[in-house]
Amino acid sequence: DGGITQSPKYLFRKEGQNVTLSCEQNLNHDAMYWYRQDPGQGLRLIYYSQIVNDFQKGDIAEGYSVSREKKESFPLTVTSAQKNPTAFYLCASSIQTEETQYFGPGTRLLVL
Amino acid sequence: KNEVEQSPQNLTAQEGEFITINCSYSVGISALHWLQQHPGGGIVSLFMLSSGKKKHGRLIATINIQEKHSSLHITASHPRDSAVYICAVGKGNQFYFGTGTSLTVIP
């Protein structure tokens, strides 16, 4: 059945390490998004992609990188340049931008 | 200043009560979304509105474009409705999210 998956569910990172969060969808959606959620704050957009091989920075892109080599996949790399990476990361997809977004289950990243 | 403001931040209700969550926004939008986030973190889209009113089961969402305001109503609330409800507005390629309303329904 169709859906959007994220892995891992929990991720621990040592300071100075880069880590990559996986996001895969089999909904045949063109648009994909990465959000960060911190306690007491709304979701904030990190990056989004409207189509394969294209992506745009969101509000808080510094310290993050993405790729969109395949329609189904939109991995997010949290680099060592991200000074406060501990957060809940949510991936979403939609048929096109401005349409209903379908969310993955999220990945909790903790820096040790 | 947040583009999307929700009220109340926290809400506790007895089972069976009628619940209203409000959302005001300050930007021009193409659509407004109501999302539900359960304690595990997963988010489900409940409604997408650009005008008027939508109903799904015990959930009703309304929007007033002129007043830039939307409400989410839950009739005959149940403990399984306990979750965080998030209002989001879409403008172009951007979504703006409220901080959410945490609802607890007590049996």
Side-chain angles (χ1 to χ4, degrees), chain A residues 9 33 35 37 40-45 48 50 57-59 88 90 97-106 108, chain B residues 9 30-31 33 35 37 39-45 47-48 84 86 90-100:
Chain A
K9 189 172 181 180
Y33 312 80
Y35 296 97
Q37 187 178 37
Q41 295 192 40
L43 277 71
R44 291 183 291 168
L45 181 66
Y48 68 97
Q50 292 180 271
K57 291 182 179 180
D59 300 318
F88 186 54
L90 283 155
T97 53
E98 300 192 23
E99 296 292 329
T100 298
Q101 293 189 7
Y102 296 82
F103 287 82
R108 291 197 183 275
Chain B
Q9 278 190 307
S30 52
H33 302 254
L35 310 171
Q37 185 171 31
I43 291 180
V44 174
S45 180
F47 294 103
M48 176 176 154
V84 175
I86 300 170
K91 179 186 178 188
N93 296 325
Q94 287 276 14
F95 275 77
Y96 300 95
F97 293 83
T99 55

Side-chain angles (χ1 to χ4, degrees), chain A residues 25-49:
Chain A
Q25 54 97 2
N26 60 3
L27 300 166
N28 201 32
H29 286 171
D30 282 319
M32 296 187 76
Y33 312 80
W34 273 106
Y35 296 97
R36 169 180 172 141
Q37 187 178 37
D38 295 280
Q41 295 192 40
L43 277 71
R44 291 183 291 168
L45 181 66
I46 305 173
Y47 269 97
Y48 68 97
S49 168

